[in-house]
Each structure stands twice: as C-alpha cells, then as structure tokens.
Amino acid sequence: MIERTFVAIKPDGVKRGLIGKILERLENKGYKIIGMKMLKPSVELAQKHYAEHIGKPFFQRLINYLTSAPIIAMVFEGENAISGIRHIMGSTKPDEAEPGTIRCDFAIRKEANVIHGSDSPESAKREIEIWFNDDELYDWQNIIEIMKCDNE
Ligand code: IDP
Ligand code: MG
C-alpha cells in the first residue's frame, strides 16, 4: 500500500552535518519526498509531537533536545513507507540497532539518535497534520512514473 510518513532529521543529525547522508539512504531506497522544510520547533510543537511520552522521566530532556536547533521535517511517500523507513532507521537504542541502519551507523545514544519516523498509520496521519499544511505537500511524479505514463 502506498503510505505517507513523517520523518525528521533531529537536531543532532543537522548539527553533525548528516542531512545528505541520511537523505541519500531514503532516496536511494525509492521513497519520494513530498514535503520538506527546515525549522526550529517551538516547545509547543515538540510537546504536541511527543504527546505520547508526556509524564515519562525523559520527557523534558526530549523536548529540550528537539527544540535545541533546527530540524529537517519531511513527509515521505512510498510502498509501505511507514514500516520500511522504521526498518532503515533501526532501533530507538542505537547500540541495539542492526548494522546498516541509520541509528546504528550514525548514533551511539538514544538521547541523540539522529532521525524520527512515524511508527504507525495513525501516528503518521497525526504527525503529518502537526508539522505540515496541505499546501506544503506536493503531488509529483518521479522519472519512473513519468516514463510509465509516456508508454501507455
Ligand atoms: P522512536 O523514536 O524510535 O519512535 P520512542 O520510544 O517513540 O522512539 O521515543 C521517542 C524518542 O525519545 C526516541 O527517539 C529517543 O530520542 C527518546 N527516548 C526514548 N526513550 C528514551 C529514554 O529512555 N531515555 C531518553 N530518551 C529516550
Ligand atoms: Mg516514536
């Protein structure tokens, strides 16, 4: 099924100059970026995004982390993009993430694990609505889709 998912390169990924390397993996796989912006999240936005973690001992540190520098907020689209991108990201704890995943290859601590990706269709819908207006998402065809139409 073609799905949309919310992905963010978190402040540590931006500060460490990993934007290109992370995007390369998701683009190489074949997922399509349909929305993208750089922004420094407000505390309100960060709290809304991580609402499921309110009350946990690490919540305040998590909000401080997400609001500490700009992030790259994106919506990716593709076949089973939600679970597929979670797979490429790897486990929340980078020391347990499989080699070859972004979190294993680029991070050491869960407090700075460089990337976020929605974990379910419900989260994806909720998060996309939090971070993007409808007019910030683009319906465009990649080269394979254009060639397919040309041949029909
Ligand atoms: P996810 O990012 O893999 O979906 P979640 O459990 O939703 O993981 O947690 C959101 C983020 O909160 C994680 O990516 C990580 O940065 C941070 N986090 C999760 N668990 C802990 C913890 O026990 N201590 C500190 N930070 C945590
Ligand atoms: Mg999560």
Side-chain angles (χ1 to χ4, degrees), residues 45-75:
L45 194 56
Q47 287 177 338
K48 212 167 163 189
H49 174 73
Y50 278 131
E52 65 173 306
H53 298 303
I54 289 174
K56 293 187 184 164
F58 61 87
F59 184 69
Q60 192 52 50
R61 253 179 302 134
L62 180 58
I63 299 306
N64 293 347
Y65 161 47
L66 197 69
T67 57
S68 65
I71 67 163
I72 306 297
M74 294 168 284
V75 177

Side-chain angles (χ1 to χ4, degrees), residues 33-142:
I33 299 169
I34 62 163
M36 181 182 223
K37 57 188 170 186
M38 175 179 258
L39 77 159
K40 190 162 178 286
S42 65
V43 170
E44 292 71 30
L45 194 56
Q47 287 177 338
K48 212 167 163 189
H49 174 73
Y50 278 131
E52 65 173 306
H53 298 303
I54 289 174
K56 293 187 184 164
F58 61 87
F59 184 69
Q60 192 52 50
R61 253 179 302 134
L62 180 58
I63 299 306
N64 293 347
Y65 161 47
L66 197 69
T67 57
S68 65
I71 67 163
I72 306 297
M74 294 168 284
V75 177
F76 274 85
E77 187 179 270
E79 181 82 24
N80 297 327
I82 299 170
S83 61
I85 289 181
R86 290 286 294 190
H87 206 61
I88 294 172
M89 283 165 49
S91 168
T92 306
K93 298 178 181 171
D95 52 351
E96 291 176 6
E98 288 293 314
T101 63
I102 291 169
R103 284 168 165 175
C104 174
D105 293 356
F106 296 123
I108 292 173
R109 308 179 66 222
K110 60 183 180 303
E111 291 81 1
N113 56 9
V114 303
I115 185 168
H116 168 85
S118 307
D119 64 4
S120 66
E122 296 72 34
S123 307
K125 182 174 183 300
R126 192 185 74 84
E127 292 170 6
I128 291 168
E129 283 173 6
I130 290 175
W131 293 91
F132 285 88
N133 295 322
D134 281 348
D135 65 2
E136 293 174 310
L137 300 178
Y138 295 87
D139 198 11
W140 58 279
Q141 289 188 314
N142 65 29

